[in-house]
């Protein structure tokens, strides 16, 4: 009988994969793409692009420092960010 507390190899692999992606997403977000070891793309909506430079800097800092990931806003545990 399989103990429900024991993860299958596939389940553990998925957890490990999400953790690796989360680490990469965190590095990309915190460095705003300056960490060239993590490929990525920064996408900004027209609404944000039309804001003042000061407002854009405030948004950028909020994105860079965001770390309040929960199951509600990060259901896959990979720290994919879009807010």
């Amino acid at each position: 009988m399989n103990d429900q507390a024991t993860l299958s190899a596939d389940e553990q692999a998925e957890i490990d994969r999400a953790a690796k992606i989360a680490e990469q997403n965190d590095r990309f977000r915190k460095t705003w793409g300056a960490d060239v070891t993590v490929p990525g793309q920064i996408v900004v909506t027209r609404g944000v692009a039309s804001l003042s430079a000061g407002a854009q800097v405030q948004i950028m800092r909020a994105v860079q420092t965001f770390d309040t990931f929960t199951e509600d806003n990060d259901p896959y545990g990979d720290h994919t960010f879009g807010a």
Side-chain angles (χ1 to χ4, degrees):
M1 185 172 182
N2 191 8
D3 182 6
Q4 288 183 339
T6 303
L7 298 175
S8 71
D10 287 344
E11 290 169 325
Q12 186 60 54
E14 186 58 32
I15 289 169
D16 294 345
R17 179 179 175 276
K20 182 176 181 176
I21 292 169
E23 188 271 329
Q24 291 173 340
N25 283 338
D26 288 344
R27 279 194 353 239
F28 185 84
R29 188 182 67 260
K30 290 176 182 180
T31 65
W32 205 247
D35 183 343
V36 297
T37 66
V38 183
Q41 183 177 17
I42 297 168
V43 179
V44 178
T45 65
R46 286 184 185 177
V48 171
S50 70
L51 297 172
S52 69
Q56 289 183 39
V57 168
Q58 286 179 319
I59 291 168
M60 180 181 74
R61 284 300 299 149
V63 169
Q64 285 180 304
T65 59
F66 183 85
D67 66 356
T68 313
F69 291 97
T70 66
E71 192 162 320
D72 286 337
N73 66 24
D74 186 31
Y76 303 108
D78 60 8
H79 294 191
T80 301
F81 189 86

